[in-house]
Structures are given as structure tokens and as C-alpha cells.
């Protein structure tokens, strides 16, 4: 069956928010006398709740870590939230899903108020049936809790009809805890190794490339490139292998992702 309920993460999945987040983390750390210019260290803040990152990576006690988040927000709410850009192909993807009757939801650990600002700023909010984000008081920010809230609030009882799309392990872990499948995308801030380690059901290498990885149900140690549209539109719990005809138009993983979610066949692909 094709998936009817599509849950998206925000940062690193729909938008490239690195600049705004990095500069605001630097702003907050500077307040405490810490100068951080390492890009990889700054990228670690994208995905998990912010206070946890200050706590884990800089040994801030919980109270100080949450204070650091408030300092971060001083800049982010007015400047950083707009230091952001939409990932290529996202508007077209959302529009195609929306036009074909799919229900689209946002499940992000970014505070709800800021998530809405981002979606409205880029004219994407119109595609979403429901938007769920974290609370500003730190009481509601765990990814599994957010995904579960979307499912419960929207009365999605058949969890096999829902899928979570995100770029970090937190999206994959949250999806598994809520009993739904997941797609890991490498356009964001998670690595392929990370997504494999946490066993994403599907991994899209790049929006510009053809194919994806899926853990083999027949042999858990085997991974193979498969066409995403077929895997997402089939009910069978075994791998279906496809390859592209020599003369076929390789429309890219993004188009195949759309077709998979819609259960649409892609001309030019044949079964091995």
C-alpha cells in the first residue's frame, strides 16, 4: 500500500537551517566566554533538543544549559530564524503530495512558534494538515513524543499508513518507537552511517541521485539499491529489486520518492 500520512522533520529535511542555528549557538556560547568555530561541532546542535546539546557537548548543568537556550533565542527569534533556505525540490515535493490527496504533517523538535514562522516565510505552511513542534518551556520536545502526538491528534490508527521522513537518528528512533516506518535523507545533517546504524527503513542518498538503500528483510546484513517508488507502494515485506533501463530517463530520487508515496508506477523501470 502507498503511504497516506507523510510526516516531515524540518531542519535538514525541508530547510537548510545551518547558518541561523550555528550563528545563534555561537552567540550563546560567546556569552559564556566560549568561542566555537568548528563547523562539525556546530552541526551537532541540529536535531536534538538544544539544551541537551549544551549539556552534552559543553558540560553545562541542566539549569545552565536551559539558560543558554534562552540566550540562543535572543538572536534566533529575530534574526536566525530567517538565516535559512529551502532545500531544492521540497516545494515541488510537497505540492505533488498535496495535489494527490496525501496528508502532510510536520513533526519537529523546533519550537512550534518558530516552525510556523519558517513554513509561512517560505510559503510551505499551506501544504500541511497539521504542524507539531516543541514547547518553549522544555516540557515537550522529545521526537517520539512529537510524532506520537501527531498520530494521536490526527487519529491515525493504522500506523502502517504513516511514514516519517527526516535527516537524523532522532527521526528514525522516534519513528520506530511510534511503530511507523522511516526514510532517512542525506540532504541534511546526518550521515549515511548514522542512518544505517539506527536502521532507517529507507535511505535516500541524495535528491539528485537515483535509488535508495533499504535493509534487506531476507538478509539483514545485505543492503542493495532499490527504487523507492516500488518499495513505498508495495505491501510485501520482502525486497523488490529494480534496475533502470539503459534508455530510461533517470528522474532522480526526489521524483521516485514522490511516486513511491503516491503509489505511482515509474515508466522505464523493470524488475530484475
Amino acid at each position: 500500500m502507498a503511504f497516506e500520512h507523510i510526516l516531515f522533520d524540518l531542519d535538514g529535511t525541508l530547510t537548510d537551517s545551518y547558518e541561523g542555528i550555528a550563528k545563534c549557538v555561537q552567540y550563546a556560547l560567546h556569552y559564556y566566554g566560549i568561542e566555537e568555530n568548528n563547523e562539525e561541532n556546530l552541526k551537532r546542535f541540529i536535531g536534538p533538543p538544544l539544551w541537551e546539546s549544551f549539556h552534552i557537548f559543553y558540560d553545562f548543568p541542566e539549569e545552565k544549559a536551559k539558560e543558554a537556550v534562552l540566550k540562543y533565542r535572543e538572536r534566533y527569534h529575530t534574526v536566525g530564524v530567517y538565516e535559512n533556505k529551502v532545500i531544492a525540490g521540497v516545494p515541488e515535493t510537497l505540492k505533488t503530495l498535496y495535489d494527490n490527496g496525501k496528508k502532510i504533517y510536520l513533526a519537529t523538535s523546533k519550537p512550534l512558534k518558530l516552525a510556523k514562522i519558517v513554513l509561512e516565510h517560505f510559503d510551505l505552511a499551506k501544504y500541511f494538515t497539521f504542524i507539531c513542534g516543541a514547547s518553549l518551556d522544555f516540557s515537550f520536545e522529545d521526537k517520539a513524543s512529537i510524532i506520537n502526538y501527531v498520530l494521536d491528534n490526527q487519529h491515525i490508527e493504522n500506523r502502517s499508513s504513516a511514514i516519517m521522513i527526516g535527516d537524523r537518528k532522532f527521526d528514525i528512533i522516534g519513528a520506530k518507537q511510534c511503530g511507523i516506518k522511516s526514510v532517512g535523507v542525506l540532504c541534511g545533517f546526518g550521515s549515511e552511517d548514522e542512518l544505517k546504524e539506527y536502521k532507517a527503513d529507507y535511505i535516500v542518498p541524495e535528491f539528485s541521485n537515483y535509488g535508495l538503500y533499504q535493509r534487506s528483510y531476507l538478509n539483514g546484513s545485505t543492503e542493495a539499491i532499490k527504487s523507492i517508488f516500488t518499495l513505498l507502494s508495495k505491501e510485501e515485506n520482502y525486497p523488490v529489486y529494480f534496475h533502470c533501463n539503459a534508455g530510461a530517463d533517470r528522474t532522480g530520487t526526489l521524483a521516485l520518492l514522490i511516486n513511491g508515496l503516491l503509489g505511482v508506477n515509474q515508466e522505464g523501470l523493470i524488475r530484475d
Side-chain angles (χ1 to χ4, degrees):
M1 60 177 280
F3 294 95
E4 298 298 324
H5 303 283
I6 320 300
L7 286 70
F8 281 96
D9 174 46
L10 181 57
D11 294 327
T13 302
L14 301 179
T15 68
D16 179 354
S17 53
Y18 171 75
E19 180 184 357
I21 292 175
K23 288 181 176 179
C24 293
V25 169
Q26 289 175 318
Y27 174 84
L29 290 174
H30 177 76
Y31 177 78
Y32 296 100
I34 301 172
E35 302 300 326
E36 180 61 83
N37 296 307
N38 184 291
E39 183 174 316
E40 292 306 311
N41 288 345
L42 293 168
K43 283 183 178 179
R44 297 181 302 183
F45 280 81
I46 304 174
L50 283 171
W51 78 266
E52 291 184 7
S53 295
F54 285 113
H55 172 64
I56 294 171
F57 303 134
Y58 295 93
D59 295 322
F60 284 14
E62 182 175 337
E63 184 176 347
K64 182 178 178 180
K66 291 180 177 179
E67 179 186 72
V69 174
L70 299 181
K71 181 59 63 174
Y72 168 99
R73 289 175 182 168
E74 287 181 1
R75 186 182 186 279
Y76 194 83
H77 282 220
T78 56
V79 180
V81 68
Y82 300 108
E83 294 172 325
N84 204 345
K85 56 187 176 183
V86 178
I87 291 173
V90 163
E92 295 84 354
T93 301
L94 295 177
K95 184 178 188 303
T96 300
L97 293 171
Y98 180 84
D99 287 348
N100 282 270
K102 300 301 174 181
K103 300 297 183 182
I104 306 172
Y105 313 91
L106 190 74
T108 177
S109 291
K110 183 185 289 294
L112 177 60
K113 176 182 177 180
L114 298 174
K116 287 182 175 180
I117 289 174
V118 172
L119 293 181
E120 290 168 0
H121 177 67
F122 292 117
D123 195 30
L124 300 178
K126 61 189 177 185
Y127 299 121
F128 287 82
T129 297
F130 185 69
I131 298 170
C132 185
S135 63
L136 288 169
D137 65 0
F138 310 106
S139 64
F140 179 66
E141 55 187 3
D142 174 69
K143 187 44 101 36
S145 297
I146 289 169
I147 294 173
N148 196 60
Y149 186 83
V150 173
L151 298 173
D152 286 348
N153 180 275
Q154 296 297 299
H155 307 291
I156 303 172
E157 297 180 1
N158 178 11
R159 299 206 170 187
S160 65
S161 68
I163 191 164
M164 176 73 202
I165 301 176
D167 67 312
R168 294 297 313 277
K169 64 183 180 182
F170 311 100
D171 304 301
I172 309 308
I173 294 170
K176 289 187 180 302
Q177 290 177 343
C178 294
I180 66 174
K181 289 192 176 296
S182 61
V183 175
V185 294
L186 293 176
C187 58
F189 304 103
S191 67
E192 183 173 354
D193 287 343
E194 175 182 313
L195 295 172
K196 285 182 178 180
E197 178 182 355
Y198 288 91
K199 298 178 174 56
D201 293 292
Y202 311 101
I203 298 176
V204 179
E206 295 178 11
F207 280 153
S208 60
N209 285 353
Y210 176 85
L212 80 158
Y213 292 101
Q214 186 200 29
R215 296 178 62 250
S216 171
Y217 290 97
L218 298 180
N219 182 349
S221 64
T222 301
E223 302 202 355
I225 294 177
K226 305 171 179 69
S227 59
I228 194 166
F229 82 93
T230 303
L231 291 167
L232 294 185
S233 61
K234 295 290 184 180
E235 291 188 28
E236 295 90 343
N237 63 344
Y238 56 83
V240 181
Y241 294 87
F242 278 72
H243 71 266
C244 192
N245 285 336
D249 177 17
R250 296 191 174 213
T251 54
T253 302
L254 184 58
L256 295 174
L257 173 60
I258 296 172
N259 289 340
L261 297 172
L262 298 176
V264 176
N265 287 329
Q266 178 74 20
E267 184 177 358
L269 295 173
I270 62 173
R271 184 168 182 166
D272 285 340

